[in-house]
Amino acid sequence: MAHRLLRDHEADGWERSDFPIICESCLGDSPYVRMTRAEYDKECKICTRPFTVFRWRPGRDARYKKSEICQTCSKLKNVCQVCLLDLEYGLPVQVRDTALSIDSNDAIPKSDVNREYLAEEHDCKARAGIDYESSYGKARPNDTILKLQRTTPYYKRNRAHFCSFYIRGECTRGAECPYRHEMPVTGELSQQNIKDRYYGVNDPVALKLLGKAGEMSSLEALEDESIKTLYVGGLDARVTEQDLRDNFYAHGEIESIKMVLQRACAFVT
Ligand SMILES: [Zn+2]
Ligand SMILES: [Zn+2]
Ligand SMILES: [Zn+2]
């Protein structure tokens, strides 16, 4: 590492940035976040190139966060530089790619040399104004991902780490202790490898979420019986009112069906 620092930063094409690429959860709920910024401070945990590291505290009771991977790697997978979750859906890469049927692992080389080469090629293209071919922008959201996505930030994830003294019954700092006084729930979910998470393989959190998606496939009955109109979206142009009637008559008497062809949807009462 030391010898690399003697070389010219610009010539290396190392990354400088003014703001991290992060998700809302990692940014925290405070409207004023003070960030420290250190150029070429650490190596990216994926491509190993030095990058600009940001550090901040996402809330009063939160622990400090710092960017772990470089912006190029973050853009290649469309993930947060800190938590490595997808920026759009707040989901692990493995969940997103499975739900959207994206097979992108072949596109990103896993050996260090190739990774560095690819990251540099990406930066060159970006400088030349060539859009990087990312499959994520093209993939349309489907039911599975819409069911699984996280729509509100999850600040709980930023809480302080568990107090190791408390766990052993030895912490004497009481309420002053900056760490969390709770017994951790240990299990496979607490053990995650950053590269596996990035590449979307062997991710225990992903397997758990995907299992949940399978269970959620059946619609739950409405609790409020005064609501009788059902919105049916994403209709194919060939679907007729009779088709809808045939499909819904088994669920009760149909009062009316209003089809909105321009919007490819219908309201069944
Ligand atoms: Zn990187
Ligand atoms: Zn994040
Ligand atoms: Zn403590």
Side-chain angles (χ1 to χ4, degrees), residues 21-27 56 65 79-87 157-158:
I21 302 175
I22 48 174
C23 70
E24 257 187 275
S25 302
C26 288
L27 182 62
W56 70 97
K65 298 242 151 182
V79 294
C80 170
Q81 277 187 278
V82 179
C83 67
L84 274 70
L85 295 176
D86 177 81
L87 287 165
R157 222 173 47 208
N158 301 337

Side-chain angles (χ1 to χ4, degrees), residues 44-49 69-74 119:
C44 164
K45 288 193 175 147
I46 303 299
C47 72
T48 72
R49 296 187 308 163
I69 64 169
C70 77
Q71 300 209 338
T72 301
C73 288
S74 144

Side-chain angles (χ1 to χ4, degrees), residues 13-14 27 34 42 45 48 61 89 104 115 119 130 144 152 156 158 179 194 208 211 221 244-246:
W14 288 349
L27 182 62
R34 209 170 298 161
K42 288 208 160 55
K45 288 193 175 147
T48 72
D61 302 318
Y89 305 107
S104 58
R115 258 202 310 268
I130 299 168
T144 314
T152 50
K156 255 184 153 180
N158 301 337
Y179 297 100
I194 191 163
K208 198 182 159 200
L244 290 174
R245 226 166 255 286
D246 292 346

Side-chain angles (χ1 to χ4, degrees), residues 13 15 21 38 50 63 66 69 80 99 117 122 136 150-151 157 161 167 169 194 199 212 216-217 224 239 263:
E15 174 185 292
I21 302 175
R63 64 173 186 261
K66 68 173 186 352
I69 64 169
C80 170
Y117 170 75
H122 169 267
Y136 305 116
R150 183 168 274 289
T151 48
R157 222 173 47 208
H161 283 298
I167 292 166
I194 191 163
Y199 289 113
K212 206 167 93 187
M216 286 194 301
S217 54
D224 185 350
V239 174
R263 307 207 151 218

Side-chain angles (χ1 to χ4, degrees), residues 111-130:
S111 89
D112 284 344
V113 177
N114 287 345
R115 258 202 310 268
E116 193 158 339
Y117 170 75
L118 186 98
E120 257 156 36
E121 188 190 60
H122 169 267
D123 286 349
C124 281
K125 280 186 181 164
R127 276 196 295 271
I130 299 168

Side-chain angles (χ1 to χ4, degrees), residues 98-117:
T98 308
L100 295 178
S101 313
I102 295 173
D103 186 12
S104 58
N105 275 324
D106 301 338
I108 301 181
K110 288 190 183 124
S111 89
D112 284 344
V113 177
N114 287 345
R115 258 202 310 268
E116 193 158 339
Y117 170 75

Side-chain angles (χ1 to χ4, degrees), residues 13-64:
W14 288 349
E15 174 185 292
R16 301 176 64 155
S17 47
D18 295 323
F19 201 78
I21 302 175
I22 48 174
C23 70
E24 257 187 275
S25 302
C26 288
L27 182 62
D29 55 356
S30 159
Y32 306 104
V33 188
R34 209 170 298 161
M35 286 198 183
T36 60
R37 173 174 172 276
E39 275 176 23
Y40 320 120
D41 189 42
K42 288 208 160 55
E43 288 185 356
C44 164
K45 288 193 175 147
I46 303 299
C47 72
T48 72
R49 296 187 308 163
F51 72 113
T52 302
V53 174
F54 293 89
R55 197 166 174 275
W56 70 97
R57 195 172 193 181
R60 275 163 52 98
D61 302 318
R63 64 173 186 261
Y64 276 91

Side-chain angles (χ1 to χ4, degrees), residues 217-258:
S217 54
S218 58
L219 272 175
E220 279 168 39
L222 279 176
E223 292 206 350
D224 185 350
E225 291 185 357
S226 66
I227 299 171
K228 292 188 283 187
T229 302
L230 196 67
Y231 166 84
V232 187
L235 290 180
D236 189 285
R238 290 164 297 185
V239 174
T240 64
E241 194 179 311
Q242 191 58 47
D243 291 330
L244 290 174
R245 226 166 255 286
D246 292 346
N247 272 281
F248 284 98
Y249 89 98
H251 303 285
E253 196 187 328
I254 295 170
E255 276 178 29
S256 68
I257 293 180
K258 193 187 271 174

